[in-house]
Amino acid sequence: MKIIFMGTPDFAVPSLDKLVESCHQVSAVVTAPDKPRGRGRKLLPSPVKKRALELDLPILQPMNLKDPEFLRTIRDYQPDILVVVAFRILPRELYAIPPYGAVNAHASLLPKFRGAAPIHRAILQGETETGITTFQIEDKVDTGGVLLQKRIPIHPQDTTGTLYNRLKMLAAECLLETLDGLESHGFRPIPQDNSKATPAPKIHPEEAILDFTRPGRMLINTIRAFAPVPGARFFLRGTLIKIFKARFEPVPDTRPGTLEKTGKQAFAIHCGDGLIFPEEIQPEGKRAMTVADFLNGWDITSYRTVDGTQ
């Protein structure tokens, strides 16, 4: 099949690699325009553009997906299908061009977790499994007919970072299998059950603030969901502290929001139904570090109040 590949972040790179290595033909790559990044605000390419340059593939970076010239360029390539991984919402004018339309790889078991942050939301809600769904793109986001689903477990120690890395490799496998199935006419889209749909809206930074009146399991899920970025956080004596890894111990008679040193190399924070023991943290302006290294530079007295909102 002749493919136009559309994607931007590094999540999409393994899928691009897998398709380039396959019997299918990647005719061009569509990705986001270069953006200013870093202190110097230098224009830098997306991870997908970097990889496309290495692969010597034609690259398109439209500002407007409805631009007539861009649409004309896509038609000139005469693609059989558009393959979409972590890209913008496609207008009908675009996905109606190829005979096979557009297929998207989404990081959830649709119709669960439709939206921009399915990995974060799955961990936040304590899910024990997730996966990749390939589906045909329609007007409404993440609602098209399902072509293929593959499941993987969410391990108790998984973070958004570790799960993201496993899912991006699974997405590549699913897309290749989907294209092979479509080409052999073995795949037919199965309508989603909209009554079982759940949302996965974009993550907002304030969601990463830890409220220690909440149950410990919910706090651990929050820590896992926001690792490595933006990092679940609280304030200690006016300093922002991020937690990337922690464990929970249920105990009675807790005092939510108080901190207790539990040894030379450990401390605990009381929460709604137990104790949170941070293991990897990052004080504002510092590098991430172990709790032992943190305690070498911080004088913590038992039961100093911590504040989740500053």
Side-chain angles (χ1 to χ4, degrees), residues 20 23 26 112 127 135 201:
V20 168
C23 62
V26 179
K112 293 188 74 172
E127 296 288 312
F135 67 96

Side-chain angles (χ1 to χ4, degrees), residues 11-281:
F11 187 89
V13 171
S15 294
L16 176 59
D17 285 340
K18 179 72 75 171
L19 296 180
V20 168
E21 295 165 0
S22 74
C23 62
H24 304 285
Q25 176 188 339
V26 179
S27 300
V29 170
V30 181
T31 191
D34 297 357
K35 290 186 176 181
R37 293 181 175 88
R39 292 183 179 180
R41 307 304 292 165
K42 181 180 179 181
L43 284 176
L44 296 175
S46 72
V48 164
K49 181 179 178 179
K50 288 181 181 179
R51 186 60 181 143
L53 288 169
E54 294 169 353
L55 295 168
D56 198 27
L57 293 170
I59 299 168
L60 304 172
Q61 295 179 274
M63 293 294 295
N64 180 3
L65 296 180
K66 294 183 179 181
D67 180 77
E69 183 176 347
F70 169 68
L71 295 174
R72 185 162 47 250
T73 301
I74 296 298
R75 290 190 190 95
D76 289 343
Y77 276 109
Q78 297 182 324
D80 295 310
I81 194 167
L82 306 179
V83 173
V84 182
V85 185
F87 194 62
R88 287 177 275 172
I89 297 172
L90 270 57
R92 177 179 287 271
E93 295 93 325
L94 179 55
Y95 70 74
I97 292 174
Y100 284 92
V103 61
N104 186 27
H106 184 75
S108 82
L109 299 172
L110 291 174
K112 293 188 74 172
F113 301 115
R114 291 175 176 171
I119 303 176
H120 293 84
R121 297 296 173 189
I123 293 179
L124 274 172
Q125 295 190 28
E127 296 288 312
T128 58
E129 73 168 1
T130 186
I132 293 292
T133 302
T134 59
F135 67 96
Q136 288 191 323
I137 289 179
E138 296 180 355
D139 288 345
K140 293 185 178 179
V141 176
D142 298 338
T143 61
V146 171
L147 295 165
L148 178 69
Q149 281 190 336
K150 289 195 174 184
R151 299 169 181 266
I152 59 171
I154 301 177
H155 303 303
Q157 298 303 317
D158 265 329
T159 64
T160 288
T162 61
L163 193 55
Y164 177 101
N165 287 333
R166 287 161 56 208
L167 285 169
K168 71 180 182 182
M169 304 309 295
L170 183 62
E173 297 175 15
C174 289
L175 278 170
L176 181 55
E177 187 174 337
T178 298
L179 293 182
D180 290 344
L182 286 170
E183 189 173 41
S184 66
H185 306 289
F187 279 6
R188 293 290 183 270
I190 300 172
Q192 295 185 38
D193 184 349
N194 291 327
S195 69
K196 296 181 180 179
T198 58
K202 181 180 178 180
I203 292 294
H204 296 285
E206 58 268 22
E207 294 182 75
I209 297 173
L210 294 167
D211 177 357
F212 291 105
T213 65
R214 301 174 73 197
R217 295 297 177 193
M218 295 178 68
L219 292 169
I220 292 295
N221 288 344
T222 301
I223 292 166
R224 293 167 56 218
F226 292 103
V229 291
R233 74 279 308 274
F234 67 95
F235 287 87
L236 176 60
R237 300 202 292 270
T239 298
L240 184 146
I241 308 288
K242 294 182 179 181
I243 305 179
F244 299 111
K245 185 178 179 182
R247 63 181 177 87
F248 167 64
E249 180 180 316
V251 296
D253 301 323
T254 61
R255 287 149 285 194
T258 58
L259 183 148
E260 177 181 2
K261 190 171 182 181
T262 57
K264 290 184 178 180
Q265 298 185 335
F267 71 92
I269 304 171
H270 291 252
C271 63
D273 60 353
L275 298 172
I276 298 292
F277 291 85
E279 296 178 351
E280 183 182 353
I281 62 178

